[in-house]
Amino acid sequence: HEEEPRLYPEPLWLPGDNINMSVGQGDMLVTPLQLANAFSAVANGGKLYRPQVGMEIRRPDGKLVRRMDREVIGRVPAKRSTLAFLRSALTGVVSSAGGTATTAFSGFPLSEHPVAGKTGTAEVVVDGRDALHSWFAAMAPADDPEYVVVAIVEEGGHGSEVAAPIVRRVLEGLLDLTPGEFRISGEAED
């Protein structure tokens, strides 16, 4: 702490806090919208856009009233090759043996619609007892993303067992796929 004070900006920050942050634990706080925006930046090559609710306003007769312009508010300080590597690595979460979301995406046509994603399980204390919030974030198609979907289920359990199947269903709808059957093993840890 005394040797590298810039690594510990807050007086209550301890070396163990860095370890917790490296795996998304401890004081890590993020909203679903923030996570979707981060995944979008990885998907689009690094641009951070101001989130907005809609793309355009139309009258009941279909006439365009106003189009909302997208506003770039920053860039991720990473090379495009690094972001492409991240997309590739995240693809393994749903398609590689041992990936934490492979069970949820079993039977999904990944060869035609590759998906890149990340499971998450947030450990929280609710009313004095330990609970798990289930998270899953994904982009599809992974090789040229058009969609980013994030699901959180408070007190839902592991991300691989609860949130990942929800995202799968949403992607099936977005990609105009017939919902496939899948099973949840209850064995994955994330």
Side-chain angles (χ1 to χ4, degrees):
H1 188 262
E2 290 87 24
E3 293 174 20
E4 290 288 342
R6 64 185 174 78
L7 295 178
Y8 310 100
E10 300 295 324
L12 297 177
W13 195 264
L14 301 172
D17 293 318
N18 284 352
I19 295 166
N20 276 341
M21 290 295 288
S22 72
V23 294
Q25 296 294 321
D27 291 331
M28 176 62 126
L29 298 174
V30 62
T31 68
L33 181 59
Q34 289 170 324
L35 186 57
N37 206 21
F39 261 65
S40 293
V42 172
N44 72 33
K47 291 180 186 174
L48 287 167
Y49 288 96
R50 180 173 312 284
Q52 56 190 47
V53 176
M55 294 173 25
E56 59 189 28
I57 299 171
R58 292 189 175 266
R59 292 189 179 143
D61 64 5
K63 184 176 180 186
L64 180 67
V65 174
R66 179 174 163 218
R67 185 174 309 273
M68 281 68 155
D69 294 329
R70 298 186 312 168
E71 179 186 354
V72 177
I73 58 173
R75 284 203 54 81
V76 174
K79 296 177 185 175
R80 282 187 167 274
S81 60
T82 301
L83 298 174
F85 174 80
L86 281 173
R87 280 194 310 275
S88 175
L90 292 169
T91 300
V93 171
V94 297
S95 63
S96 296
T100 54
T102 55
T103 301
F105 280 84
S106 177
F108 190 91
L110 293 169
S111 60
E112 296 141 47
H113 304 284
V115 176
K118 178 67 183 93
T119 58
T121 302
E123 299 172 22
V124 294
V125 177
V126 177
D127 297 328
R129 63 179 171 72
D130 292 337
L132 302 175
H133 292 344
S134 175
W135 284 83
F136 188 70
M139 60 186 87
D143 49 0
D144 188 18
E146 293 180 45
Y147 304 106
V148 169
V149 180
V150 174
I152 177 176
V153 180
E154 293 184 3
E155 299 183 57
H158 293 279
S160 59
E161 297 174 357
V162 180
I166 292 169
V167 170
R168 175 191 171 142
R169 284 292 189 246
V170 172
L171 288 174
E172 287 170 336
L174 290 170
L175 298 169
D176 199 28
L177 301 171
T178 302
E181 294 205 20
F182 58 88
R183 63 179 180 77
I184 303 303
S185 69
E187 297 172 5
E189 294 283 329
D190 40 21

